[in-house]
Amino acid sequence: MGFQWLKRQEGNLPAPTTTFIGRNEVCARVARALGHSRLVTAYGGGGIGKTRIAIHVARQLRADFPDGVWMVELSALTDPHVLPSAIIAAFGLADVSARDEREVLSEYLQHRELLLILDTCEHLQQPVADLTAVLLRAAPRLRIIATSRVPLDAEGEHLVGIDPMHVTDADPAGPMMTEAVQLFVDRAHQATPDLVIGPHNAGLVNEVCQRLDGIPLALELAAASLSLNPLCDSW
């Protein structure tokens, strides 16, 4: 066949380093979309949580894919011509022939039932769209989640828009915390374990979440910075 295994495993999803907070509704939408569409693009602005959502959904659906769930990070990829080789490397394949890499991928995937995440696609929009069309035609049991700041405009693409976390006034110490507040409080406690969230700083927590528009990355960075803030005692 021309290719050989460099490694054999059932996927390469990164292990979580922090708790996944909320996002139940949008995760359910992505999972449902995969049930009837073979290419699902989770799209939205930077820092909105697209990658975490894709990984979380893939981990939940792992049992549905006998040949594993696989992720290819494309953020550092600048040359669209090496896109197929990046996917080949993620699968741990070494092609020992001189064949076109698209042909190698198509042959490898054609009888496999797996889920592939293509992460951060916006700067390679057209090359990713073209390659997914080739692979999905060659492999009838392949499913793909793409994350991107913009739709791929690819053949058969199902779009799921990712919005910021909901932000509203709520008691950060109470049972009705919004997802944005939950995320901020969780990450703040990780950075500053002695931090107490209560009525004395509830308004400040809500104000921070609102000013950051419920964007997960911004909330995490703000929470992490509390340990470096000389005014942290005022919390």
Side-chain angles (χ1 to χ4, degrees):
M1 289 186 177
F3 55 77
Q4 297 175 339
W5 283 102
L6 292 177
K7 56 185 176 180
R8 178 77 183 187
Q9 55 188 35
E10 295 182 348
N12 67 345
L13 290 184
T17 57
T18 55
T19 306
F20 187 83
I21 303 292
R23 301 298 214 167
N24 293 334
E25 182 179 349
V26 70
C27 286
R29 287 171 55 205
V30 173
R32 285 196 302 269
L34 276 175
H36 57 77
S37 300
R38 298 177 57 216
L39 171 61
V40 176
T41 300
Y43 75 100
I48 211 74
K50 303 180 294 293
T51 300
R52 285 297 301 267
I53 288 169
I55 293 173
H56 185 72
V57 170
R59 188 169 284 112
Q60 288 182 316
L61 298 178
R62 172 65 188 85
D64 296 337
F65 296 94
D67 295 301
V69 289
W70 302 82
M71 180 172 176
V72 186
E73 297 180 1
L74 303 178
S75 58
L77 201 65
T78 57
D79 182 357
H81 295 97
V82 301
L83 175 60
S85 64
I87 301 176
I88 288 173
F91 285 134
L93 298 174
D95 186 53
V96 296
S97 72
R99 293 181 303 161
D100 180 88
E101 290 175 319
R102 292 189 177 200
E103 181 183 344
V104 173
L105 275 174
S106 295
E107 181 182 310
Y108 172 71
L109 292 171
Q110 63 180 334
H111 298 305
R112 285 178 166 82
E113 187 171 0
L114 60 81
L115 175 61
L116 175 63
I117 300 174
L118 299 177
D119 186 46
T120 314
C121 298
E122 58 270 3
H123 61 303
L124 299 169
Q125 179 186 13
Q126 192 60 54
V128 171
D130 292 343
L131 183 57
T132 56
V134 170
L135 298 182
L136 290 171
R137 282 196 295 268
R141 292 180 291 177
L142 172 65
R143 293 285 191 277
I144 298 175
I145 300 177
T147 73
S148 177
R149 295 190 182 188
V150 296
L152 299 180
D153 294 329
E155 179 182 340
E157 178 183 31
H158 183 106
L159 296 174
V160 178
I162 309 298
D163 296 320
M165 287 180 156
H166 183 63
V167 177
T168 187
D169 289 326
D171 178 6
M176 299 302 291
M177 288 190 290
T178 62
E179 289 183 347
V181 171
Q182 288 180 54
L183 179 65
F184 182 85
V185 170
D186 180 84
R187 302 304 192 255
H189 280 147
Q190 287 187 17
T192 312
D194 295 334
L195 181 67
V196 176
I197 304 292
H200 66 289
N201 54 16
L204 184 56
V205 170
N206 280 315
E207 181 181 354
V208 168
C209 292
Q210 290 172 3
R211 287 191 176 187
L212 297 177
D213 297 321
I215 297 175
L217 179 58
L219 293 169
E220 292 188 334
L221 292 174
S225 71
L226 291 179
S227 62
L228 305 176
N229 191 333
L231 299 179
C232 187
D233 290 343
S234 66
W235 284 75

